[in-house]
Structure formats: structure tokens, C-alpha cells
Amino acid sequence: KAFAFSPLPSLVSRKTTHVKSDWSDFQYLDDDEDIDTTVYAVEDDTQEYKAEVGAALEGPIIEMDADPIFVEAGTALPLTLENVLGVLSACRQEIGTMFGYSAENRGVGITGGVDFVDIEGPIVILSLKGRFWHEEERVLERVGTYLQQRMPEIAEVILQD
């Protein structure tokens, strides 16, 4: 038997059903405390004004800090707790525009910080807290690259669960 192919769809009647929402359990939620009502400076404001606004805001707390270890990318520091803490401290300063450690950054709403959590073999675990201009994934990528370029033993930099 031969089958005929028709390029036109068959005309079948379709019935549309309209569903109405039931709002009988609608109620007011008083959860305004989750809304950030802080007034921040804007990009066109002067650095002085940004710093003034940011000085009134608390900076991110660093749980584990160390003296910064400033070394060039391509350096092969061994993967130790002291080196991770020191290079992370240098990272906070060198790519500081991503974090809220300066009053100017906090003044425009960047309040985020990065902190060390643990080392598990060749994996460094960090935490991010606060608000960032960039997505968390981008911040982690930049910090991870910074650390890996100075400690090539690091296989991966991840966020704490």
C-alpha cells in the first residue's frame, strides 16, 4: 500500500479552557525587612561622595586573614594554608573593585567579600558574602584564577555548600 503525505496539518477543532485563580487565601506578608532600603551613591557621583556614603556602611568581615603575599602570575608557590591565606589577601587588594572592602565600593552598593573556608587536597573552598556587581560565578572565577596562577597545585576553587 502507498501512503499519502500531506504537507498541510489536518484541521482538528480544539477547545480552549480558561482557568481562574482562586485568591481566597491571599494575605499581606510583612517581610519588608528583607528589602535593602540603603541609599547608595551612583556611578556619576564623585569618589569623595562614594567614600562618604560607603564609610557609613560596614565592610565585609574577614574570618581568616594573613599578610598579603604579592607574587606575579606564573609563580609556583606550594599549596599551603599560609600561602592560600596570603595570596587571597593580596587578591582582595589587587582585584579590589569586585569587593566591598573599600568605602568607595560600599558607597555604590558593592558590599561583598571573599573568605577562606578550607583546603581539601588540591581543592580550595571559599565563601562569598554580601552584594557584588558581578554574578557570584564570575567573582569565584576571577578569584580562583588569581589563586591558581600563583599556586598551580590548586585543581579547583569552589564555594562552600
Coordinates of all heavy atoms in Angstrom, one line a residue, residues 20-119:
K20 N -9.5 30.0 36.2 CA -9.5 31.2 37.0 C -8.7 31.0 38.3 O -8.8 29.9 38.9 CB -10.9 31.6 37.4 CG -11.7 32.0 36.1 CD -13.1 32.5 36.5 CE -13.9 32.8 35.2 NZ -15.2 33.3 35.5
S21 N -8.0 32.0 38.8 CA -7.2 31.9 40.0 C -8.2 32.0 41.2 O -9.1 32.7 41.2 CB -6.2 32.9 40.1 OG -5.2 32.8 39.1
D22 N -7.8 31.3 42.3 CA -8.6 31.4 43.5 C -7.8 32.2 44.5 O -6.7 31.8 44.9 CB -8.8 30.0 44.1 CG -9.5 30.0 45.4 OD1 -10.1 31.1 45.7 OD2 -9.5 29.0 46.1
W23 N -8.2 33.4 44.8 CA -7.4 34.3 45.6 C -8.0 34.3 47.0 O -7.7 35.2 47.8 CB -7.5 35.8 45.1 CG -6.7 35.9 43.8 CD1 -7.1 35.6 42.5 CD2 -5.4 36.3 43.7 NE1 -6.1 35.8 41.6 CE2 -5.0 36.2 42.3 CE3 -4.4 36.7 44.6 CZ2 -3.8 36.6 41.9 CZ3 -3.1 37.0 44.1 CH2 -2.8 36.9 42.8
S24 N -8.8 33.3 47.4 CA -9.5 33.4 48.7 C -8.5 33.3 49.9 O -8.8 33.8 51.0 CB -10.4 32.2 48.8 OG -9.7 31.0 48.7
D25 N -7.3 32.8 49.7 CA -6.3 32.7 50.8 C -5.2 33.8 50.7 O -4.2 33.7 51.3 CB -5.7 31.3 50.8 CG -4.8 31.0 49.6 OD1 -5.0 31.7 48.6 OD2 -4.0 30.1 49.6
F26 N -5.5 34.8 49.8 CA -4.5 35.9 49.7 C -4.4 36.7 51.0 O -5.4 37.0 51.6 CB -4.9 36.8 48.5 CG -4.0 37.9 48.3 CD1 -2.8 37.7 47.6 CD2 -4.2 39.2 48.7 CE1 -1.9 38.7 47.3 CE2 -3.3 40.2 48.5 CZ -2.2 40.0 47.8
Q27 N -3.1 37.0 51.4 CA -3.0 37.8 52.6 C -1.7 38.6 52.5 O -0.8 38.4 51.7 CB -2.9 36.9 53.8 CG -1.8 35.8 53.7 CD -1.8 34.9 54.9 OE1 -1.9 35.4 56.0 NE2 -1.7 33.6 54.7
Y28 N -1.6 39.7 53.3 CA -0.5 40.6 53.3 C 0.7 39.9 54.0 O 0.5 39.3 55.1 CB -0.9 41.9 54.0 CG 0.2 42.8 54.2 CD1 0.7 43.6 53.2 CD2 0.8 43.0 55.5 CE1 1.8 44.4 53.4 CE2 1.9 43.8 55.7 CZ 2.4 44.6 54.6 OH 3.4 45.4 54.8
L29 N 1.9 40.0 53.5 CA 3.1 39.5 54.1 C 3.9 40.6 54.6 O 4.2 41.5 53.8 CB 3.9 38.6 53.2 CG 3.2 37.3 52.7 CD1 4.1 36.5 51.8 CD2 2.9 36.4 53.9
D30 N 4.3 40.7 55.8 CA 5.1 41.7 56.3 C 6.5 41.3 56.3 O 7.1 40.9 57.4 CB 4.6 42.1 57.7 CG 5.4 43.4 58.2 OD1 5.9 44.1 57.4 OD2 5.4 43.6 59.5
D31 N 7.2 41.3 55.1 CA 8.5 40.8 55.0 C 9.4 41.9 54.5 O 10.4 41.6 53.8 CB 8.6 39.5 54.2 CG 8.1 39.7 52.8 OD1 7.6 40.8 52.5 OD2 8.3 38.8 52.0
D32 N 9.1 43.1 54.8 CA 9.9 44.3 54.3 C 11.3 44.3 54.8 O 12.2 45.0 54.3 CB 9.2 45.6 54.6 CG 8.0 45.8 53.8 OD1 7.8 45.1 52.8 OD2 7.2 46.7 54.1
E33 N 11.6 43.6 55.9 CA 13.0 43.6 56.4 C 14.0 42.9 55.5 O 15.2 43.2 55.6 CB 13.0 42.9 57.8 CG 12.8 41.4 57.8 CD 11.3 41.1 57.9 OE1 10.5 42.0 58.1 OE2 11.0 39.9 57.8
D34 N 13.5 42.2 54.5 CA 14.4 41.6 53.5 C 14.8 42.5 52.4 O 15.6 42.2 51.6 CB 13.7 40.3 52.9 CG 13.5 39.2 53.9 OD1 14.2 39.3 55.0 OD2 12.6 38.4 53.7
I35 N 14.1 43.7 52.3 CA 14.3 44.6 51.3 C 15.4 45.6 51.7 O 15.4 46.2 52.8 CB 13.0 45.4 50.9 CG1 12.0 44.4 50.4 CG2 13.3 46.5 49.9 CD1 10.6 45.0 50.3
D36 N 16.5 45.7 50.8 CA 17.6 46.7 51.1 C 17.1 48.1 50.8 O 16.9 48.4 49.6 CB 18.8 46.3 50.3 CG 20.0 47.2 50.6 OD1 19.9 48.0 51.4 OD2 21.0 47.0 49.9
T37 N 17.0 48.9 51.8 CA 16.5 50.3 51.6 C 17.6 51.3 51.8 O 17.4 52.5 51.8 CB 15.4 50.6 52.7 OG1 15.9 50.4 54.0 CG2 14.2 49.7 52.5
T38 N 18.9 50.8 51.8 CA 20.0 51.7 51.9 C 20.1 52.5 50.6 O 19.9 52.1 49.5 CB 21.3 50.8 52.0 OG1 21.2 49.9 53.1 CG2 22.5 51.7 52.3
V39 N 20.5 53.8 50.8 CA 20.7 54.7 49.7 C 22.1 54.7 49.4 O 23.0 55.0 50.2 CB 20.2 56.2 50.1 CG1 20.5 57.1 49.0 CG2 18.7 56.2 50.5
Y40 N 22.4 54.3 48.1 CA 23.8 54.3 47.7 C 24.1 55.4 46.7 O 23.2 56.0 46.1 CB 24.0 52.9 46.9 CG 23.8 51.7 47.8 CD1 22.7 50.9 47.7 CD2 24.8 51.4 48.7 CE1 22.6 49.8 48.5 CE2 24.7 50.2 49.5 CZ 23.5 49.5 49.4 OH 23.4 48.4 50.2
A41 N 25.4 55.7 46.5 CA 25.8 56.6 45.5 C 25.6 56.0 44.1 O 25.4 54.8 44.0 CB 27.3 57.0 45.7
V42 N 25.7 56.8 43.1 CA 25.6 56.3 41.8 C 26.9 56.5 41.0 O 27.8 57.2 41.5 CB 24.4 57.0 41.0 CG1 23.1 56.7 41.6 CG2 24.6 58.5 40.9
E43 N 27.0 55.9 39.9 CA 28.3 55.9 39.2 C 28.8 57.3 38.9 O 30.0 57.6 38.9 CB 28.1 55.2 37.8 CG 29.3 55.0 37.1 CD 29.1 54.1 35.8 OE1 28.0 53.5 35.6 OE2 30.0 54.1 35.0
D44 N 28.0 58.3 38.6 CA 28.4 59.6 38.2 C 28.8 60.5 39.4 O 29.3 61.6 39.3 CB 27.3 60.3 37.4 CG 27.1 59.7 36.1 OD1 28.0 59.0 35.6 OD2 25.9 59.8 35.6
D45 N 28.5 60.0 40.7 CA 28.9 60.8 41.8 C 30.4 60.8 42.0 O 31.2 59.9 41.5 CB 28.3 60.1 43.1 CG 26.8 60.4 43.2 OD1 26.3 61.4 42.6 OD2 26.1 59.5 43.8
T46 N 30.9 61.8 42.7 CA 32.4 61.9 42.9 C 32.9 60.8 43.8 O 32.1 60.2 44.6 CB 32.7 63.2 43.6 OG1 32.2 63.2 44.9 CG2 32.2 64.4 42.8
Q47 N 34.2 60.5 43.7 CA 34.8 59.4 44.6 C 34.6 59.8 46.0 O 34.4 59.0 46.9 CB 36.3 59.3 44.2 CG 36.5 58.7 42.8 CD 36.0 57.3 42.7 OE1 34.8 57.1 42.3 NE2 36.8 56.3 43.0
E48 N 34.7 61.1 46.3 CA 34.6 61.6 47.7 C 33.2 61.3 48.3 O 33.1 60.8 49.4 CB 34.9 63.1 47.8 CG 36.3 63.5 47.5 CD 36.7 63.5 46.0 OE1 35.7 63.6 45.2 OE2 37.9 63.5 45.7
Y49 N 32.2 61.5 47.4 CA 30.8 61.2 47.9 C 30.6 59.7 48.1 O 30.0 59.3 49.0 CB 29.8 61.8 46.9 CG 28.4 61.6 47.4 CD1 27.8 62.2 48.5 CD2 27.6 60.6 46.7 CE1 26.6 61.9 48.9 CE2 26.3 60.4 47.1 CZ 25.8 61.0 48.3 OH 24.5 60.8 48.7
K50 N 31.1 58.9 47.1 CA 31.0 57.5 47.2 C 31.7 57.0 48.5 O 31.1 56.1 49.2 CB 31.7 56.8 46.0 CG 30.9 57.0 44.7 CD 31.7 56.4 43.6 CE 31.1 56.8 42.2 NZ 31.9 56.3 41.1
A51 N 32.8 57.5 48.8 CA 33.5 57.2 50.0 C 32.8 57.6 51.3 O 32.7 56.9 52.3 CB 34.9 57.8 50.1
E52 N 32.2 58.8 51.2 CA 31.4 59.2 52.3 C 30.2 58.3 52.6 O 29.9 57.9 53.7 CB 30.9 60.7 52.1 CG 30.1 61.3 53.2 CD 29.5 62.7 52.8 OE1 30.2 63.4 52.0 OE2 28.4 63.0 53.2
V53 N 29.5 58.0 51.5 CA 28.3 57.0 51.7 C 28.8 55.7 52.2 O 28.2 55.1 53.1 CB 27.6 56.9 50.3 CG1 26.5 55.8 50.4 CG2 26.9 58.2 50.0
G54 N 29.9 55.2 51.6 CA 30.4 53.9 52.0 C 31.0 53.8 53.4 O 31.0 52.7 54.0
A55 N 31.5 54.9 53.9 CA 32.1 54.9 55.2 C 31.0 54.7 56.3 O 31.3 54.2 57.3 CB 32.8 56.3 55.5
A56 N 29.8 55.0 55.9 CA 28.7 54.7 56.9 C 28.2 53.2 56.9 O 27.5 52.8 57.7 CB 27.5 55.6 56.5
L57 N 28.7 52.5 55.9 CA 28.3 51.1 55.8 C 29.5 50.2 56.3 O 30.6 50.4 56.1 CB 28.0 50.7 54.3 CG 26.9 51.6 53.7 CD1 26.9 51.3 52.2 CD2 25.6 51.3 54.3
E58 N 29.1 49.1 57.0 CA 30.1 48.2 57.5 C 30.7 47.3 56.3 O 29.9 46.8 55.5 CB 29.4 47.2 58.5 CG 30.4 46.3 59.2 CD 29.7 45.5 60.3 OE1 28.8 46.0 60.9 OE2 30.1 44.3 60.5
G59 N 32.0 47.2 56.3 CA 32.7 46.4 55.3 C 32.5 44.9 55.6 O 32.2 44.5 56.7
P60 N 32.9 44.1 54.7 CA 32.8 42.6 54.9 C 33.8 42.2 55.9 O 34.9 42.7 56.0 CB 33.1 42.0 53.5 CG 33.3 43.1 52.6 CD 33.3 44.4 53.3
I61 N 33.5 41.3 56.8 CA 34.3 40.8 57.8 C 35.2 39.6 57.2 O 34.6 38.7 56.6 CB 33.5 40.3 59.0 CG1 32.8 41.5 59.7 CG2 34.4 39.6 60.0 CD1 31.8 41.1 60.7
I62 N 36.5 39.7 57.5 CA 37.4 38.6 57.0 C 37.6 37.7 58.2 O 38.2 38.1 59.2 CB 38.7 39.2 56.5 CG1 38.4 40.2 55.3 CG2 39.7 38.1 56.1 CD1 39.6 41.0 54.9
E63 N 37.1 36.4 58.0 CA 37.3 35.5 59.1 C 38.7 35.0 59.4 O 39.1 34.9 60.5 CB 36.4 34.2 58.8 CG 34.9 34.6 58.6 CD 34.2 35.0 59.9 OE1 34.6 34.6 61.0 OE2 33.3 35.8 59.8
M64 N 39.4 34.7 58.3 CA 40.8 34.2 58.4 C 41.6 35.1 57.5 O 41.5 35.0 56.3 CB 40.9 32.8 58.0 CG 40.2 31.8 58.9 SD 40.5 30.1 58.5 CE 42.2 29.9 58.9
D65 N 42.5 35.9 58.0 CA 43.3 36.8 57.2 C 44.8 36.6 57.5 O 45.1 35.9 58.5 CB 42.9 38.3 57.6 CG 43.3 39.3 56.5 OD1 43.7 38.8 55.4 OD2 43.2 40.5 56.8
A66 N 45.6 37.1 56.6 CA 47.0 37.0 56.7 C 47.6 38.2 56.0 O 46.9 38.9 55.3 CB 47.5 35.7 56.1
D67 N 48.9 38.4 56.2 CA 49.6 39.4 55.5 C 49.6 39.0 54.0 O 49.8 37.9 53.6 CB 51.1 39.5 56.0 CG 51.2 40.1 57.4 OD1 50.3 40.9 57.7 OD2 52.1 39.8 58.1
P68 N 49.4 40.0 53.1 CA 49.3 39.7 51.7 C 50.6 39.2 51.1 O 51.7 39.6 51.5 CB 48.9 41.0 51.0 CG 48.9 42.0 52.1 CD 49.1 41.4 53.4
I69 N 50.5 38.2 50.3 CA 51.7 37.7 49.5 C 51.5 38.1 48.1 O 50.7 37.5 47.4 CB 51.8 36.1 49.7 CG1 52.0 35.7 51.1 CG2 53.0 35.6 48.8 CD1 51.9 34.2 51.3
F70 N 52.2 39.1 47.7 CA 52.1 39.6 46.3 C 53.2 39.0 45.5 O 54.4 39.2 45.7 CB 52.3 41.2 46.3 CG 51.2 41.9 46.9 CD1 51.4 42.5 48.2 CD2 50.0 42.1 46.3 CE1 50.3 43.2 48.8 CE2 49.0 42.9 46.9 CZ 49.1 43.4 48.1
V71 N 52.8 38.1 44.6 CA 53.7 37.5 43.6 C 53.1 37.5 42.2 O 51.8 37.6 42.1 CB 54.0 36.0 44.0 CG1 54.8 35.9 45.3 CG2 52.7 35.2 44.2
E72 N 53.9 37.5 41.2 CA 53.4 37.5 39.9 C 52.7 36.3 39.5 O 53.0 35.2 40.0 CB 54.6 37.7 38.9 CG 55.3 39.1 39.1 CD 54.5 40.2 38.7 OE1 53.7 40.2 37.7 OE2 54.5 41.3 39.4
A73 N 51.7 36.4 38.5 CA 51.1 35.2 37.9 C 52.2 34.4 37.3 O 53.1 34.9 36.7 CB 50.0 35.7 36.9
G74 N 52.1 33.1 37.4 CA 53.1 32.2 36.9 C 54.0 31.7 37.9 O 54.9 30.8 37.7
T75 N 54.0 32.3 39.1 CA 54.8 31.9 40.3 C 54.2 30.5 40.7 O 53.1 30.3 40.6 CB 54.7 32.9 41.4 OG1 55.1 34.2 40.9 CG2 55.6 32.5 42.6
A76 N 55.1 29.7 41.2 CA 54.7 28.3 41.7 C 54.9 28.2 43.2 O 55.8 27.5 43.7 CB 55.5 27.3 40.9
L77 N 54.0 28.9 43.9 CA 54.1 28.7 45.4 C 53.5 27.4 45.8 O 52.5 26.9 45.1 CB 53.2 29.8 46.1 CG 53.7 31.2 46.0 CD1 52.7 32.2 46.6 CD2 55.1 31.4 46.7
P78 N 54.0 26.7 46.8 CA 53.4 25.4 47.2 C 52.0 25.7 47.8 O 51.7 26.8 48.4 CB 54.3 24.9 48.3 CG 55.2 26.0 48.7 CD 55.2 27.0 47.6
L79 N 51.1 24.7 47.7 CA 49.8 24.8 48.3 C 49.8 24.6 49.8 O 49.8 23.4 50.2 CB 48.8 23.8 47.6 CG 47.4 23.8 48.0 CD1 46.7 25.2 47.9 CD2 46.6 22.8 47.2
T80 N 49.8 25.6 50.5 CA 49.8 25.6 52.0 C 48.7 26.5 52.5 O 48.4 27.5 51.8 CB 51.2 26.0 52.6 OG1 51.4 27.3 52.3 CG2 52.3 25.1 52.1
L81 N 48.3 26.3 53.7 CA 47.3 27.2 54.3 C 47.8 28.7 54.3 O 47.1 29.6 54.0 CB 47.0 26.8 55.7 CG 46.0 27.7 56.5 CD1 44.7 27.9 55.8 CD2 45.9 27.2 57.9
E82 N 49.1 28.9 54.7 CA 49.7 30.2 54.8 C 49.7 30.9 53.4 O 49.4 32.1 53.3 CB 51.1 30.1 55.4 CG 51.1 29.7 56.9 CD 50.9 28.2 57.0 OE1 51.2 27.4 56.1 OE2 50.5 27.8 58.1
N83 N 50.1 30.1 52.4 CA 50.1 30.7 51.1 C 48.7 31.0 50.6 O 48.6 32.1 49.9 CB 50.9 29.8 50.1 CG 52.4 29.8 50.3 OD1 52.9 30.7 51.0 ND2 53.0 28.7 49.8
V84 N 47.8 30.2 50.8 CA 46.4 30.5 50.3 C 45.9 31.7 51.0 O 45.3 32.6 50.3 CB 45.5 29.3 50.6 CG1 44.0 29.7 50.3 CG2 45.9 28.1 49.7
L85 N 46.1 31.8 52.3 CA 45.6 33.0 53.0 C 46.3 34.3 52.6 O 45.7 35.3 52.4 CB 45.8 32.8 54.6 CG 44.9 31.8 55.2 CD1 45.2 31.6 56.7 CD2 43.4 32.1 55.0
G86 N 47.6 34.2 52.4 CA 48.4 35.3 51.9 C 48.0 35.8 50.5 O 47.9 37.0 50.3
V87 N 47.9 34.8 49.6 CA 47.6 35.2 48.2 C 46.2 35.7 48.1 O 45.9 36.6 47.4 CB 47.9 34.0 47.3 CG1 47.4 34.3 45.9 CG2 49.4 33.7 47.3
L88 N 45.3 35.1 48.9 CA 43.9 35.5 48.9 C 43.8 37.0 49.5 O 43.0 37.8 48.9 CB 43.0 34.6 49.8 CG 41.5 34.9 49.8 CD1 40.9 34.9 48.4 CD2 40.8 34.0 50.7
S89 N 44.6 37.3 50.5 CA 44.7 38.7 51.0 C 45.1 39.6 49.9 O 44.6 40.7 49.7 CB 45.6 38.7 52.2 OG 45.6 40.0 52.7
A90 N 46.2 39.2 49.1 CA 46.7 40.0 48.0 C 45.6 40.2 46.9 O 45.4 41.3 46.4 CB 47.9 39.4 47.4
C91 N 44.9 39.1 46.7 CA 43.8 39.1 45.7 C 42.7 40.1 46.1 O 42.2 40.9 45.2 CB 43.2 37.7 45.6 SG 41.7 37.6 44.5
R92 N 42.4 40.2 47.3 CA 41.4 41.2 47.8 C 41.8 42.6 47.4 O 40.9 43.4 47.1 CB 41.1 41.1 49.3 CG 40.4 39.8 49.7 CD 40.2 39.9 51.2 NE 39.7 38.6 51.7 CZ 40.4 37.7 52.5 NH1 41.6 38.0 52.8 NH2 39.9 36.6 52.9
Q93 N 43.1 42.8 47.5 CA 43.6 44.2 47.2 C 43.7 44.4 45.7 O 43.3 45.5 45.2 CB 44.9 44.4 47.9 CG 44.7 44.5 49.4 CD 46.1 44.7 50.1 OE1 47.0 45.3 49.6 NE2 46.2 44.1 51.3
E94 N 44.3 43.4 45.0 CA 44.6 43.6 43.5 C 43.3 43.7 42.7 O 43.3 44.4 41.7 CB 45.5 42.5 43.0 CG 46.9 42.8 43.5 CD 48.0 42.0 42.7 OE1 47.8 41.8 41.5 OE2 49.0 41.7 43.3
I95 N 42.3 42.9 43.0 CA 41.1 43.0 42.2 C 40.0 43.5 43.1 O 38.8 43.1 43.1 CB 40.7 41.6 41.6 CG1 40.5 40.5 42.6 CG2 41.7 41.2 40.5 CD1 39.9 39.2 42.0
G96 N 40.4 44.5 43.9 CA 39.5 45.1 44.9 C 38.2 45.7 44.5 O 37.3 45.9 45.3
T97 N 38.2 46.1 43.2 CA 36.9 46.7 42.7 C 35.8 45.8 42.7 O 34.6 46.2 42.7 CB 37.1 47.3 41.3 OG1 37.5 46.2 40.4 CG2 38.1 48.4 41.3
M98 N 36.0 44.5 42.9 CA 34.9 43.5 42.9 C 34.3 43.3 44.3 O 33.3 42.7 44.5 CB 35.5 42.1 42.5 CG 36.0 42.1 41.1 SD 36.3 40.4 40.5 CE 34.7 39.9 40.0
F99 N 35.0 43.9 45.3 CA 34.6 43.6 46.7 C 34.3 44.9 47.5 O 34.6 46.0 47.0 CB 35.8 42.9 47.5 CG 36.3 41.7 46.8 CD1 37.5 41.7 46.2 CD2 35.5 40.6 46.7 CE1 38.0 40.5 45.6 CE2 35.9 39.4 46.1 CZ 37.2 39.4 45.5
G100 N 33.7 44.7 48.6 CA 33.2 45.9 49.4 C 34.2 46.3 50.5 O 33.8 46.8 51.5
Y101 N 35.5 46.0 50.3 CA 36.5 46.3 51.3 C 36.8 47.8 51.3 O 37.4 48.3 52.3 CB 37.8 45.5 51.1 CG 37.5 44.0 51.3 CD1 37.6 43.2 50.2 CD2 37.1 43.5 52.5 CE1 37.3 41.8 50.3 CE2 36.8 42.1 52.6 CZ 36.9 41.3 51.5 OH 36.6 40.0 51.7
S102 N 36.6 48.5 50.3 CA 36.8 50.0 50.2 C 35.5 50.7 50.4 O 34.5 50.3 50.0 CB 37.5 50.4 48.9 OG 36.6 50.4 47.9
A103 N 35.6 51.9 51.0 CA 34.4 52.7 51.2 C 33.8 53.2 49.9 O 32.6 53.2 49.8 CB 34.8 54.0 52.0
E104 N 34.6 53.4 48.9 CA 34.0 53.8 47.6 C 33.1 52.7 47.0 O 32.1 53.0 46.5 CB 35.1 54.2 46.6 CG 35.9 55.4 46.9 CD 37.1 55.1 47.9 OE1 37.3 54.0 48.2 OE2 37.8 56.1 48.2
N105 N 33.6 51.5 47.1 CA 32.8 50.4 46.6 C 31.5 50.2 47.4 O 30.5 50.0 46.8 CB 33.6 49.1 46.6 CG 34.7 49.1 45.5 OD1 34.9 50.0 44.8 ND2 35.5 48.0 45.5
R106 N 31.6 50.2 48.7 CA 30.4 50.1 49.5 C 29.5 51.3 49.2 O 28.2 51.1 49.3 CB 30.8 50.1 51.0 CG 31.5 48.8 51.4 CD 31.6 48.7 52.9 NE 32.2 49.8 53.6 CZ 33.5 50.0 53.8 NH1 34.3 49.1 53.3 NH2 33.9 51.0 54.5
G107 N 30.0 52.4 48.9 CA 29.2 53.6 48.6 C 28.2 53.4 47.4 O 27.2 54.0 47.3
V108 N 28.7 52.5 46.5 CA 27.8 52.3 45.3 C 27.1 50.9 45.4 O 26.5 50.4 44.5 CB 28.6 52.3 44.0 CG1 29.0 53.7 43.7 CG2 29.7 51.4 44.0
G109 N 27.1 50.3 46.6 CA 26.4 49.1 46.9 C 27.1 47.8 46.8 O 26.5 46.7 46.9
I110 N 28.4 47.8 46.5 CA 29.2 46.6 46.4 C 29.7 46.3 47.9 O 30.6 47.0 48.3 CB 30.4 46.7 45.5 CG1 29.9 47.1 44.1 CG2 31.2 45.5 45.5 CD1 31.0 47.5 43.1
T111 N 29.1 45.4 48.5 CA 29.4 45.1 49.9 C 30.0 43.7 50.1 O 30.2 43.2 51.2 CB 28.1 45.2 50.8 OG1 27.2 44.2 50.4 CG2 27.6 46.6 50.8
G112 N 30.2 43.0 49.0 CA 30.6 41.6 49.0 C 32.1 41.4 49.5 O 32.9 42.2 49.3
G113 N 32.3 40.2 50.0 CA 33.6 39.8 50.4 C 33.9 38.3 50.1 O 32.9 37.6 49.9
V114 N 35.1 37.9 50.1 CA 35.5 36.6 49.9 C 36.3 36.1 51.1 O 37.1 36.9 51.7 CB 36.3 36.4 48.6 CG1 37.6 37.2 48.6 CG2 36.6 34.9 48.3
D115 N 36.1 34.9 51.5 CA 36.8 34.3 52.7 C 37.2 32.9 52.5 O 36.5 32.2 51.8 CB 35.9 34.5 54.0 CG 36.7 34.8 55.2 OD1 37.9 34.7 55.2 OD2 36.1 35.1 56.2
F116 N 38.2 32.5 53.1 CA 38.8 31.2 53.1 C 37.9 30.3 54.0 O 37.5 30.7 55.1 CB 40.2 31.1 53.5 CG 40.8 29.8 53.7 CD1 41.2 29.0 52.6 CD2 40.8 29.2 54.9 CE1 41.7 27.8 52.8 CE2 41.3 27.9 55.1 CZ 41.8 27.2 54.0
V117 N 37.6 29.0 53.5 CA 36.9 28.1 54.4 C 37.8 26.9 54.7 O 38.0 26.5 55.8 CB 35.6 27.6 53.7 CG1 34.9 26.5 54.5 CG2 34.7 28.8 53.5
D118 N 38.4 26.3 53.6 CA 39.1 25.0 53.9 C 39.9 24.6 52.7 O 39.7 25.2 51.6 CB 38.1 23.9 54.2 CG 38.8 22.7 54.9 OD1 40.0 22.8 55.2 OD2 38.1 21.7 55.1
I119 N 40.9 23.7 52.9 CA 41.6 23.1 51.8 C 41.3 21.6 51.9 O 41.5 21.0 53.0 CB 43.1 23.3 51.9 CG1 43.5 24.8 51.8 CG2 43.9 22.6 50.8 CD1 44.9 25.1 52.0

